[in-house]
Amino acid sequence: MDEEEQREGKILNSFRKAIEQEEFQVYFQPKMDAKTLSICGAEALVRWKKDEETVWTPNVFIPLLEKAGFITELDFYVYEKVFQWMKKRSDQGEKLVPISMNVSRLHLKNPEKFTEKVFHLLMKYRIHTDDIIFEITESMYMEQPEVINEIIGKFHERGIRISMDDFGSGYSSLNMLKDILFDEVKIDRQFLEHELSERGKIVLQELFHMLRRMQKSIVCEGVETKEISDFLVQEGCDELQGFLYYQPMDEQAFQAVMAKETKKQK
Ligand code: C2E
Ligand code: CA
Ligand code: CA
């Protein structure tokens, strides 16, 4: 075995123990309302805290967990942690904003188990369905549109919103746009990388125009500069997410940010 394989083996071997010992942590990255520039939601992003100094981002372990089939377990772990946190906050009478959670493509192998388990967790923690959003990537939709639409149908019956993540990162066709049942479209950050060219601006303007006419909520992620943010606001994007506003942060830091926001609004 070469070094890389040994490293991968070590990561996979430590997965179960990491779940038991709660080494995985949920970070939150706020989403901003484009009109008021106040926090209107957040995306839950998983981190693996190896020790006090080392925190791994998903690119280090998610591809491996996907390959080994462990990622579905991690997703449910993340959902449960998010719901526990939401329940605690609502029990304490604290303000909640909708939390977006990522869905691995591996759930598509067993869509019934996925929806059943989510509904079970929602009941267990008495979560209001309008307080959560699930993000499903464009590429997952491209691979299995029927399965995705079935999942969306079940979620919609219960009032849960679905966002199309990484929109425009793959080879989605315009034709596909007319069939999508998604409530929100999250424009991939590739669109906003580097400076926006005139043509890039035209593509975004027309895309927003189409999405607005279809009553989809428009979110842009990877917003890093004021110039880009101003353009997106002017063109009618609904929500902004990116380092210009906030980096992903741990629960404690997110709580502090939310408290400050609540004070500001009073
Ligand atoms: P994603 O769903 O596209 O999440 C957004 C990623 O963009 C996050 O990376 C976030 O930190 C990063 N980001 C946010 N704002 C900016 C910005 O202004 N500039 C730049 N350059 N990057 C920005 P992160 O946290 O490393 O997550 C990477 C990916 O890992 C996520 O991409 C998602 O696909 C996956 N992931 C994260 N958490 C989970 C999870 O709980 N379950 C599953 N299945 N996948 C997850
Ligand atoms: Ca996402
Ligand atoms: Ca994304």
Side-chain angles (χ1 to χ4, degrees), residues 135-156:
E135 295 191 357
I136 293 180
T137 62
E138 174 195 78
S139 60
M140 280 165 72
Y141 181 75
M142 295 301 287
E143 283 161 26
Q144 283 174 282
E146 295 84 18
V147 179
I148 299 289
N149 279 341
E150 220 179 286
I151 292 177
I152 297 180
K154 281 192 186 159
F155 277 10
H156 276 174

mmCIF file of all heavy atoms in Angstrom, residues 135-156:
data_model
loop_
_atom_site.group_PDB
_atom_site.id
_atom_site.type_symbol
_atom_site.label_atom_id
_atom_site.label_comp_id
_atom_site.label_asym_id
_atom_site.label_seq_id
_atom_site.Cartn_x
_atom_site.Cartn_y
_atom_site.Cartn_z
ATOM 1 N N GLU A 135 -30.488 21.091 0.624
ATOM 2 C CA GLU A 135 -29.796 21.460 -0.611
ATOM 3 C C GLU A 135 -29.435 20.204 -1.395
ATOM 4 O O GLU A 135 -28.744 19.321 -0.889
ATOM 5 C CB GLU A 135 -28.528 22.249 -0.286
ATOM 6 C CG GLU A 135 -28.822 23.586 0.373
ATOM 7 C CD GLU A 135 -27.600 24.501 0.472
ATOM 8 O OE1 GLU A 135 -26.485 24.094 0.078
ATOM 9 O OE2 GLU A 135 -27.771 25.637 0.954
ATOM 10 N N ILE A 136 -29.928 20.149 -2.611
ATOM 11 C CA ILE A 136 -29.639 19.013 -3.494
ATOM 12 C C ILE A 136 -28.889 19.571 -4.693
ATOM 13 O O ILE A 136 -29.313 20.575 -5.273
ATOM 14 C CB ILE A 136 -30.959 18.330 -3.909
ATOM 15 C CG1 ILE A 136 -31.597 17.671 -2.677
ATOM 16 C CG2 ILE A 136 -30.728 17.319 -5.030
ATOM 17 C CD1 ILE A 136 -32.904 16.970 -2.924
ATOM 18 N N THR A 137 -27.779 18.955 -5.056
ATOM 19 C CA THR A 137 -26.970 19.579 -6.115
ATOM 20 C C THR A 137 -27.578 19.356 -7.493
ATOM 21 O O THR A 137 -28.309 18.403 -7.734
ATOM 22 C CB THR A 137 -25.524 19.026 -6.147
ATOM 23 O OG1 THR A 137 -25.589 17.632 -6.428
ATOM 24 C CG2 THR A 137 -24.803 19.258 -4.844
ATOM 25 N N GLU A 138 -27.214 20.286 -8.351
ATOM 26 C CA GLU A 138 -27.631 20.207 -9.747
ATOM 27 C C GLU A 138 -27.203 18.872 -10.367
ATOM 28 O O GLU A 138 -27.971 18.242 -11.089
ATOM 29 C CB GLU A 138 -26.964 21.374 -10.488
ATOM 30 C CG GLU A 138 -27.159 21.371 -11.967
ATOM 31 C CD GLU A 138 -26.177 22.333 -12.621
ATOM 32 O OE1 GLU A 138 -24.985 21.979 -12.761
ATOM 33 O OE2 GLU A 138 -26.596 23.422 -12.978
ATOM 34 N N SER A 139 -25.980 18.418 -10.037
ATOM 35 C CA SER A 139 -25.510 17.176 -10.680
ATOM 36 C C SER A 139 -26.326 15.963 -10.221
ATOM 37 O O SER A 139 -26.559 15.033 -10.986
ATOM 38 C CB SER A 139 -24.018 16.962 -10.448
ATOM 39 O OG SER A 139 -23.746 16.865 -9.085
ATOM 40 N N MET A 140 -26.783 15.979 -8.954
ATOM 41 C CA MET A 140 -27.641 14.878 -8.494
ATOM 42 C C MET A 140 -28.944 14.871 -9.288
ATOM 43 O O MET A 140 -29.460 13.827 -9.671
ATOM 44 C CB MET A 140 -27.977 15.037 -7.003
ATOM 45 C CG MET A 140 -26.870 14.571 -6.085
ATOM 46 S SD MET A 140 -27.128 15.168 -4.407
ATOM 47 C CE MET A 140 -28.489 14.172 -3.845
ATOM 48 N N TYR A 141 -29.466 16.082 -9.512
ATOM 49 C CA TYR A 141 -30.711 16.178 -10.272
ATOM 50 C C TYR A 141 -30.514 15.691 -11.701
ATOM 51 O O TYR A 141 -31.358 14.966 -12.246
ATOM 52 C CB TYR A 141 -31.219 17.635 -10.271
ATOM 53 C CG TYR A 141 -32.507 17.779 -11.033
ATOM 54 C CD1 TYR A 141 -33.711 17.328 -10.485
ATOM 55 C CD2 TYR A 141 -32.511 18.308 -12.313
ATOM 56 C CE1 TYR A 141 -34.892 17.427 -11.197
ATOM 57 C CE2 TYR A 141 -33.696 18.413 -13.034
ATOM 58 C CZ TYR A 141 -34.877 17.965 -12.471
ATOM 59 O OH TYR A 141 -36.046 18.049 -13.172
ATOM 60 N N MET A 142 -29.367 16.050 -12.282
ATOM 61 C CA MET A 142 -29.089 15.634 -13.665
ATOM 62 C C MET A 142 -29.013 14.114 -13.777
ATOM 63 O O MET A 142 -29.444 13.531 -14.755
ATOM 64 C CB MET A 142 -27.754 16.226 -14.140
ATOM 65 C CG MET A 142 -27.727 17.726 -14.242
ATOM 66 S SD MET A 142 -28.972 18.365 -15.360
ATOM 67 C CE MET A 142 -28.254 17.878 -16.922
ATOM 68 N N GLU A 143 -28.421 13.487 -12.740
ATOM 69 C CA GLU A 143 -28.247 12.025 -12.786
ATOM 70 C C GLU A 143 -29.563 11.281 -12.610
ATOM 71 O O GLU A 143 -29.824 10.299 -13.287
ATOM 72 C CB GLU A 143 -27.270 11.574 -11.695
ATOM 73 C CG GLU A 143 -25.823 11.841 -12.042
ATOM 74 C CD GLU A 143 -24.919 11.826 -10.816
ATOM 75 O OE1 GLU A 143 -25.259 11.154 -9.818
ATOM 76 O OE2 GLU A 143 -23.876 12.518 -10.856
ATOM 77 N N GLN A 144 -30.374 11.736 -11.663
ATOM 78 C CA GLN A 144 -31.613 11.002 -11.374
ATOM 79 C C GLN A 144 -32.792 11.945 -11.127
ATOM 80 O O GLN A 144 -33.295 12.037 -10.002
ATOM 81 C CB GLN A 144 -31.393 10.112 -10.150
ATOM 82 C CG GLN A 144 -30.595 8.859 -10.493
ATOM 83 C CD GLN A 144 -30.259 8.077 -9.253
ATOM 84 O OE1 GLN A 144 -29.345 8.445 -8.515
ATOM 85 N NE2 GLN A 144 -30.987 7.028 -8.991
ATOM 86 N N PRO A 145 -33.243 12.622 -12.181
ATOM 87 C CA PRO A 145 -34.314 13.615 -11.984
ATOM 88 C C PRO A 145 -35.592 13.027 -11.393
ATOM 89 O O PRO A 145 -36.228 13.672 -10.554
ATOM 90 C CB PRO A 145 -34.556 14.180 -13.390
ATOM 91 C CG PRO A 145 -33.888 13.259 -14.334
ATOM 92 C CD PRO A 145 -32.809 12.559 -13.587
ATOM 93 N N GLU A 146 -35.939 11.794 -11.775
ATOM 94 C CA GLU A 146 -37.218 11.232 -11.274
ATOM 95 C C GLU A 146 -37.143 11.012 -9.770
ATOM 96 O O GLU A 146 -38.090 11.330 -9.038
ATOM 97 C CB GLU A 146 -37.586 9.908 -11.957
ATOM 98 C CG GLU A 146 -37.885 10.011 -13.444
ATOM 99 C CD GLU A 146 -36.630 9.958 -14.295
ATOM 100 O OE1 GLU A 146 -35.578 9.503 -13.760
ATOM 101 O OE2 GLU A 146 -36.666 10.387 -15.459
ATOM 102 N N VAL A 147 -36.025 10.421 -9.342
ATOM 103 C CA VAL A 147 -35.873 10.153 -7.897
ATOM 104 C C VAL A 147 -35.907 11.462 -7.113
ATOM 105 O O VAL A 147 -36.571 11.574 -6.081
ATOM 106 C CB VAL A 147 -34.543 9.396 -7.605
ATOM 107 C CG1 VAL A 147 -34.372 9.137 -6.125
ATOM 108 C CG2 VAL A 147 -34.490 8.108 -8.389
ATOM 109 N N ILE A 148 -35.214 12.473 -7.638
ATOM 110 C CA ILE A 148 -35.169 13.765 -6.940
ATOM 111 C C ILE A 148 -36.567 14.378 -6.872
ATOM 112 O O ILE A 148 -36.997 14.860 -5.822
ATOM 113 C CB ILE A 148 -34.209 14.754 -7.649
ATOM 114 C CG1 ILE A 148 -32.781 14.218 -7.662
ATOM 115 C CG2 ILE A 148 -34.270 16.140 -7.008
ATOM 116 C CD1 ILE A 148 -32.075 14.202 -6.346
ATOM 117 N N ASN A 149 -37.283 14.328 -7.990
ATOM 118 C CA ASN A 149 -38.623 14.929 -7.977
ATOM 119 C C ASN A 149 -39.554 14.203 -7.012
ATOM 120 O O ASN A 149 -40.428 14.819 -6.397
ATOM 121 C CB ASN A 149 -39.211 14.975 -9.391
ATOM 122 C CG ASN A 149 -38.663 16.163 -10.178
ATOM 123 O OD1 ASN A 149 -38.148 17.107 -9.592
ATOM 124 N ND2 ASN A 149 -38.751 16.104 -11.497
ATOM 125 N N GLU A 150 -39.327 12.904 -6.870
ATOM 126 C CA GLU A 150 -40.142 12.148 -5.910
ATOM 127 C C GLU A 150 -39.839 12.610 -4.479
ATOM 128 O O GLU A 150 -40.753 12.816 -3.672
ATOM 129 C CB GLU A 150 -39.797 10.668 -6.063
ATOM 130 C CG GLU A 150 -40.999 9.764 -5.980
ATOM 131 C CD GLU A 150 -40.572 8.325 -6.173
ATOM 132 O OE1 GLU A 150 -40.275 7.972 -7.330
ATOM 133 O OE2 GLU A 150 -40.512 7.595 -5.165
ATOM 134 N N ILE A 151 -38.563 12.773 -4.205
ATOM 135 C CA ILE A 151 -38.159 13.245 -2.866
ATOM 136 C C ILE A 151 -38.748 14.640 -2.625
ATOM 137 O O ILE A 151 -39.334 14.925 -1.580
ATOM 138 C CB ILE A 151 -36.610 13.291 -2.732
ATOM 139 C CG1 ILE A 151 -36.028 11.876 -2.753
ATOM 140 C CG2 ILE A 151 -36.191 14.029 -1.457
ATOM 141 C CD1 ILE A 151 -34.508 11.812 -2.695
ATOM 142 N N ILE A 152 -38.616 15.512 -3.627
ATOM 143 C CA ILE A 152 -39.125 16.883 -3.474
ATOM 144 C C ILE A 152 -40.639 16.849 -3.217
ATOM 145 O O ILE A 152 -41.156 17.565 -2.356
ATOM 146 C CB ILE A 152 -38.806 17.758 -4.716
ATOM 147 C CG1 ILE A 152 -37.297 17.905 -4.879
ATOM 148 C CG2 ILE A 152 -39.452 19.142 -4.575
ATOM 149 C CD1 ILE A 152 -36.870 18.758 -6.069
ATOM 150 N N GLY A 153 -41.349 15.979 -3.958
ATOM 151 C CA GLY A 153 -42.799 15.866 -3.778
ATOM 152 C C GLY A 153 -43.142 15.532 -2.333
ATOM 153 O O GLY A 153 -44.012 16.162 -1.722
ATOM 154 N N LYS A 154 -42.419 14.553 -1.771
ATOM 155 C CA LYS A 154 -42.687 14.157 -0.376
ATOM 156 C C LYS A 154 -42.367 15.288 0.593
ATOM 157 O O LYS A 154 -43.075 15.516 1.567
ATOM 158 C CB LYS A 154 -41.836 12.937 -0.018
ATOM 159 C CG LYS A 154 -42.414 11.653 -0.568
ATOM 160 C CD LYS A 154 -41.721 10.469 0.051
ATOM 161 C CE LYS A 154 -42.194 9.192 -0.611
ATOM 162 N NZ LYS A 154 -41.233 8.100 -0.417
ATOM 163 N N PHE A 155 -41.270 15.994 0.325
ATOM 164 C CA PHE A 155 -40.892 17.110 1.199
ATOM 165 C C PHE A 155 -41.915 18.240 1.098
ATOM 166 O O PHE A 155 -42.280 18.843 2.093
ATOM 167 C CB PHE A 155 -39.479 17.602 0.869
ATOM 168 C CG PHE A 155 -38.387 16.792 1.532
ATOM 169 C CD1 PHE A 155 -38.677 15.604 2.174
ATOM 170 C CD2 PHE A 155 -37.071 17.214 1.545
ATOM 171 C CE1 PHE A 155 -37.686 14.850 2.799
ATOM 172 C CE2 PHE A 155 -36.064 16.481 2.164
ATOM 173 C CZ PHE A 155 -36.374 15.296 2.789
ATOM 174 N N HIS A 156 -42.353 18.508 -0.118
ATOM 175 C CA HIS A 156 -43.327 19.602 -0.297
ATOM 176 C C HIS A 156 -44.635 19.318 0.425
ATOM 177 O O HIS A 156 -45.252 20.223 0.975
ATOM 178 C CB HIS A 156 -43.585 19.838 -1.798
ATOM 179 C CG HIS A 156 -42.555 20.729 -2.427
ATOM 180 N ND1 HIS A 156 -42.496 20.986 -3.773
ATOM 181 C CD2 HIS A 156 -41.535 21.436 -1.884
ATOM 182 C CE1 HIS A 156 -41.491 21.812 -4.020
ATOM 183 N NE2 HIS A 156 -40.889 22.090 -2.902
#
